[in-house]
Every structure is written in structure tokens, then in C-alpha cells.
Amino acid sequence: MKVVKTIQEVRAQVQEWRKEGLTVGLVPTMGYLHEGHQSLIRKSVSENDRTVVSVFVNPIQFGPNEDLEAYPRDLNRDMKAVEEAGGDLIFHPEPSEMYPGHFTSFIDTTETTELLCGAVRPIHFRGVCTVVGKLFNIVLPDKAYFGQKDAQQLATIRRFVRDLNFPVEIVACPIVREEDGLAKSSRNTYLNPQERQAALILSKSLKLGKAAIEQGERSAQRIIDIIRQNLQTEPLARVDYVEVVDFENIQRVETIQGETLVAIAVYIGKTRLIDNFIIKG
Ligand code: AMP
């Protein structure tokens, strides 16, 4: 397993692999890797001859008051995690490698980014799509792997790949959770023990919503109410949003039918956590 920091080095390595006729998978991450990321890497390893993992805390997807500086970083830990999952190469560029001076071109998407996190983090998805598009052009992977944990991101990436004809197959991977149900996230490290306990309210509330749908409830508003009311029973939780949308376009629905995304964002103390489930109505 190798770590490279420049675009030139990744390209040279991928070109060598291509000459040998090998296929390449890409797993874009911001590092501080956990089993969620490793599940993506393992999936890529099982479907491609070589797997590149990018580890880059992408400054242009963070708003001015967000946690860019505080975001956890530990390359040694990430190297072990990639090695353990069978990845072949880490691309770990400096921000100046990805964003030289006078950087003025962006991938901007509409529709799928209007609601949920897009509504409260206005430049977030422009930053995500731009860096992911750059990574696609740098690595030129056959397939790229994304977690359903960030469901709106997944829908948005699928959209721009389709709209802009990027020659890459997007593979979605299920949410990996802690044993008690909390969705694994690098941001969970911000939680103190009391907040870590309180954070269980996200998965518990979603479970109630899911059970109601499984029992036949089809009103999106009823599901939102059930989830919101349960979230409000936790004193450390402050709801950012609870939304029921169609998974393809990320637009609100009144009635649950087809592939539906039920997504929440909740502050536990100062830490903003997201979670969701997708259900076929
Ligand atoms: P991040 O490092 O948070 O930008 O995440 C990198 C990739 O890992 C994204 O595609 C995420 O959706 C995915 N990911 C993060 N956490 C999880 C999880 N708990 N389960 C599955 N995928 C995840």
C-alpha cells in the first residue's frame, strides 16, 4: 500500500495499472477512516483489480462557521485502515495541490441539492461535486463507491455523473452502524460520553418512523411527526431537519410510494449528525 500526495503520482500509478489491463475503483473520503469507509474499500477491492482511496478534507465544502479546522485528521490511522481493507493506494493531496491560485471552476447542481443539507449548507454540495469531479478526472476510475449514510450526496453525485457524462459507475453502499445503532461517522469523535448516549436518539427515532411505514402508514407528514416528536424527547438534541423525499430527485413527497428517503439532521450539543433510511413504498 502506497501513499502519494501529487496528482502526477496518482496518474502515473493508474496509467501503469491500465497498461497491465487492470480495473480501478475509487473511494473518496475525508479520512479518519472507520468501518463505514472500510466497507466501501472492501466492496471496491472485491469488484476491481486495484483500489485508490482519497483522503482529503476538502476545504471548499465547508461553510465559514463549520468544522474545517476541527475535522479529525490522522494519516497513520488511515494507512492502517486502508491496508486492513485491502486498498492499494492512498491519494492524500495538500489543499494547494487540489486548489491552486485562481481556482474558479465548479460543478454546481440543482434540484437534488435544494432541500435537506443543501438548504442549510448552501455551498456544501458545490464543493463536494467539484472535488469528486476532480477526483474522477485525476484517477479515471471504472467505479466509485459512496455510502448511503450521505444519501443526498449519493443522489447528487449520481445526477451530475449522468448529466455531465462522467464515464464512471457509481456504487452505493449501505450504512454501517455501531452495535447500539449509531451510524458510524468521523464526527462521532466530537461527542462526549453523555452526548454519545444521547446520539442514539437519531437511529431510535428513525426506527419508529420505519416501523410505522412498514405497518402501512403512507402519510409523509405523519412519519415526520413521529420522528420529530421522538427526537424531541432527548434534551441534548436539537432538530435541524426531518424530511421525507423521493430518493432520486430529493423532492418532498406527501405520500410514501416508490423509493423514498427519510432523512434527519440533528445537533447533539454542538455536533451535527445525520442519519436516514430508504424504503420502497
Ligand atoms: P466522509 O469521509 O465522511 O466524507 O465519507 C466518505 C465516504 O464514506 C462517503 O461516501 C460516505 O457516505 C461513506 N460513509 C461514511 N460513513 C459511513 C457509514 N457509517 N456507512 C457507510 N458509508 C459511510
Side-chain angles (χ1 to χ4, degrees), residues 1-132:
M1 211 275 302
K2 238 165 78 175
V3 181
V4 298
K5 292 182 82 96
T6 66
I7 293 166
Q8 204 186 350
E9 286 169 293
V10 192
R11 284 197 164 141
Q13 177 61 84
V14 172
Q15 250 169 30
E16 252 178 58
W17 289 336
R18 292 287 181 207
K19 272 189 208 143
E20 295 170 45
L22 303 176
T23 57
V24 178
L26 170 66
V27 182
T29 82
M30 296 207 299
Y32 214 74
L33 304 179
H34 49 66
E35 284 92 339
H37 300 108
Q38 283 183 308
S39 73
L40 272 55
I41 299 170
R42 289 202 173 93
K43 179 89 172 148
S44 173
V45 168
S46 75
E47 294 185 349
N48 301 277
D49 299 315
R50 295 290 182 269
T51 291
V52 179
V53 181
S54 60
V55 172
F56 180 57
V57 182
N58 175 35
I60 69 165
Q61 72 187 63
F62 286 78
N65 299 315
E66 294 182 357
D67 57 342
L68 174 62
E69 300 305 325
Y71 199 86
R73 294 161 168 90
D74 185 343
L75 186 63
N76 284 330
R77 172 197 159 114
D78 291 343
M79 286 164 68
K80 286 190 200 114
V82 172
E83 184 103 54
E84 195 182 274
D88 299 284
L89 181 72
I90 293 181
F91 176 43
H92 181 54
E94 292 294 330
S96 57
E97 177 75 1
M98 294 296 272
Y99 303 111
H102 299 282
F103 186 90
T104 53
S105 309
F106 298 90
I107 297 178
D108 211 349
T109 55
T110 56
E111 193 172 43
T112 62
T113 53
E114 283 163 8
L115 303 175
L116 318 185
C117 293
V120 282
R121 303 184 71 188
I123 60 147
H124 176 66
F125 287 111
R126 186 180 85 153
V128 169
C129 293
T130 302
V131 80
V132 169

Side-chain angles (χ1 to χ4, degrees), residues 28-31 34 36-37 40 71 146-147 149-150 153 174-176 184:
T29 82
M30 296 207 299
H34 49 66
H37 300 108
L40 272 55
Y71 199 86
F146 295 90
K149 161 87 189 332
D150 301 275
Q153 170 175 293
I175 301 179
V176 176
K184 287 189 187 263

